[in-house]
Amino acid sequence: MLYPITNKYRDVYSLSGLWQFKAVDDGYIPSQKATDTTFMAVPASMNEIVTERAIKEHIGKLLYEKTFSVPVRENRIYRLRIGATSHKCEVYLNGKYIGGSNYGFLPVDLLLEGLQEENRLSILIDNRLSFQTLPPGMIKDGQQLYNHDFYNFTGIHRDVLVYTVPEKHVEDITVKTVVEGDYSQISVKVSTNCEQVLCSVKDADGDIVGRGGQGLIKVKNPKPWSCETPYLYTIVVETECDKYEEKFGIRKIHVDEKGFYLNDKPVYFKGFGMHEDFNILGKGNNTAVNVRDFGLLKWMNANSFRTTHYPYSEEIMNLADEYGFLVIDEVPAVGMHWWDDYNFGEDKVNAETAVLHKEMIKVLMERDKNHPSVVMLSVANEPASHEENAGEYFKDVISYARTVCDLPITLVEFTQFRENSLVTDLVDVVCINRYYGWYVNHACIEVVYPSLKEELTDYYNAVKKPIIVTEFGADTIEGNHCLPSETFSEEFQEEYLIENFKAIDECEGCIGEHIWNFADFKTKEGIKRARGNRKGVFTRERQPKMCAHYVRRRWKNK
Ligand code: BDP
């Protein structure tokens, strides 16, 4: 899946900016230009922009509409690329349905036929969650309920682009690399309806270092991509009438009983679970926020993050390649329960959910396959992996994932006891979220170290797979100081993290620590949430809390 680019053969026109907007009923068809609309920003979530609670919390459909004109050139195919909407969308051009998507967080790419001098693009978004959406949820007593801890932001969250490709064009490029002695073999697969395909590899200075057609290209003395030196090459694919350039890195990944290796060197994962979340913008992609976030990740001496709990924007993935971060790419299968333990009747995660789950894994891998930063796939966060149906469900999903993804695969677990998990056997790297001293024995800082140490040691001895502690954290209100420490104070957050680190440092099989969370973020309202989840090492405005200074010193030497 190629990102729209401009060059001699291709054009891109951005439709991001001001759109018309309103809440609509289920039966609404945009056959006429909408009336009674208000302005809305794209990309952005609508929820923190609007001033009325009823719209902010609207459950159902919303219309986004915009008129646009682009130069219409002959022998060009026009396409529409929406980076992501939340969640489902239906797209209409001049009142005619042209396609849509059953899920958010991934691109929607549609053919635009019959463009006129002036055109009306209407996007209907549906933000309802059910047991057959990802993430799952249910509507009860007029309320949208869901079992995950981030706000169900609604909107067009990434850029909307009209782009052109020549009739004969490069459709897709897949790059894989292997290092043998002094050479790297770059295997290039191009899907195209063109006759002649020439491929060349440019180094970071723009010099050509290898040429060929489809198939293998040799590069002498390759410079590997790593966190310290995120060296990027470019594959240039040229045909008789099209050209596409895509960056890639030469890197090798493997996992064994003891560790995770990048270019044959063991990796220790230092970083965070994060969120696409910012004041007013909600989940809207924003370059300024992205650059600030990567600057802060570097400042922290982090080397990795997990895209908790859904695929992040392509712009963020590009920055991860450039800055040298290892990314655990996650699909939005978060808070999945089969409700064996609850009494919600027949409504539950089922085979239809699994079809969507597999589809999202496939599309995510198609989107991210050439990013050297993407080093592992996470197929879910904290499913009820002890419930009877979980074993069968994830066996199916993970064996499918292995047919479309050659990266190590994980599934992030919270089940308190390893013995109860029905999925640990299926993964390459064990990822666990643990909140001793917070959700378990709240405020008992003394239990954190012994409990975590005992559990990690037991886990590793039993499964002999590398372990990353993918979440641990304590809600902290910035500026709240307390001596001796109490929960929610900056002192407690720092002490709590230190106790977790002590346990992690003493566990043989532990190959990483991801603090929950990078920054404070918005959640649904709840009795445990005063203005969202406050476990950030940074505030929602991206200023450091006290513990940031301790953690950055720790990670400098780790
Ligand atoms: C974990 C979830 C994460 C939550 C976190 C918390 O994976 O999404 O935000 O708990 O409660 O269980 O802070």
Side-chain angles (χ1 to χ4, degrees), residues 147-150 274-275 306 308-309 330 334-335 381-382 412-414 433-435 438-439 470-471 473-475 516-517 521 523 528-529 533-535:
N147 190 28
H148 58 264
D149 185 37
F150 52 94
M274 303 182 72
H275 269 298
R306 174 165 61 112
T308 45
H309 295 305
E330 191 159 274
V334 47
N381 180 70
E382 298 191 350
V412 177
E413 287 205 72
F414 79 110
N433 298 344
R434 288 297 180 266
Y435 288 92
W438 193 259
Y439 292 124
T470 30
E471 288 186 27
D475 285 87
W516 191 255
N517 187 285
F521 57 92
T523 62
K528 289 190 192 154
R529 296 286 178 261
N533 188 310
R534 310 294 287 268
K535 295 191 184 70

Side-chain angles (χ1 to χ4, degrees), residues 308-336:
T308 45
H309 295 305
Y310 39 81
Y312 291 178
S313 70
E314 287 150 289
E315 292 76 5
I316 291 180
M317 305 315 279
N318 289 339
L319 286 171
D321 292 345
E322 300 278 354
Y323 278 87
F325 281 89
L326 306 175
V327 179
I328 304 175
D329 227 355
E330 191 159 274
V331 287
V334 47
M336 294 179 85

Side-chain angles (χ1 to χ4, degrees), residues 130-193:
S130 73
F131 286 100
Q132 283 67 52
T133 61
L134 288 182
M138 71 187 292
I139 295 172
K140 205 174 171 210
D141 303 331
Q143 256 193 308
Q144 176 71 73
L145 306 180
Y146 45 91
N147 190 28
H148 58 264
D149 185 37
F150 52 94
Y151 188 74
N152 189 32
F153 275 117
T154 306
I156 301 180
H157 285 157
R158 298 175 192 159
D159 280 327
V160 180
L161 307 173
V162 171
Y163 72 100
T164 72
V165 293
E167 277 171 354
K168 288 189 163 193
H169 60 273
V170 176
E171 184 73 39
D172 197 19
I173 303 171
T174 308
V175 184
K176 291 192 193 297
T177 65
V178 184
V179 178
E180 280 162 12
D182 291 349
Y183 284 91
S184 175
Q185 301 272 19
I186 320 282
S187 114
V188 192
K189 200 170 142 230
V190 181
S191 43
T192 178
N193 54 357

Side-chain angles (χ1 to χ4, degrees), residues 435-455 492 496 499-500 503:
Y435 288 92
Y436 290 115
W438 193 259
Y439 292 124
V440 179
N441 296 115
H442 183 76
C444 292
I445 198 98
E446 324 68 64
V447 308
V448 178
Y449 163 73
S451 311
L452 186 62
K453 184 176 173 189
E454 188 186 333
E455 199 189 353
F492 186 88
Y496 171 89
E499 292 302 300
N500 278 279

Side-chain angles (χ1 to χ4, degrees), residues 426-537:
L426 304 171
V427 300
D428 302 310
V429 174
V430 171
C431 288
I432 54 174
N433 298 344
R434 288 297 180 266
Y435 288 92
Y436 290 115
W438 193 259
Y439 292 124
V440 179
N441 296 115
H442 183 76
C444 292
I445 198 98
E446 324 68 64
V447 308
V448 178
Y449 163 73
S451 311
L452 186 62
K453 184 176 173 189
E454 188 186 333
E455 199 189 353
L456 289 176
T457 311
D458 166 62
Y459 227 119
Y460 184 67
N461 290 339
V463 302
K464 291 282 184 237
K465 291 183 185 185
I467 304 174
I468 305 175
V469 184
T470 30
E471 288 186 27
F472 55 105
D475 285 87
T476 306
I477 312 297
E478 71 274 17
N480 177 25
H481 289 281
C482 197
L483 190 71
S485 69
E486 284 180 13
T487 53
F488 295 94
S489 69
E490 298 208 28
E491 283 75 9
F492 186 88
Q493 186 183 31
E494 185 167 307
E495 287 167 22
Y496 171 89
L497 294 177
I498 290 173
E499 292 302 300
N500 278 279
F501 293 146
K502 264 172 36 191
I504 290 169
D505 286 345
E506 290 179 16
C507 172
E508 193 195 343
C510 203
I511 59 153
E513 56 199 49
H514 278 176
I515 298 172
W516 191 255
N517 187 285
F518 172 70
D520 293 350
F521 57 92
K522 192 174 177 74
T523 62
K524 65 188 166 206
E525 292 163 71
I527 48 173
K528 289 190 192 154
R529 296 286 178 261
R531 302 207 64 178
N533 188 310
R534 310 294 287 268
K535 295 191 184 70
V537 166

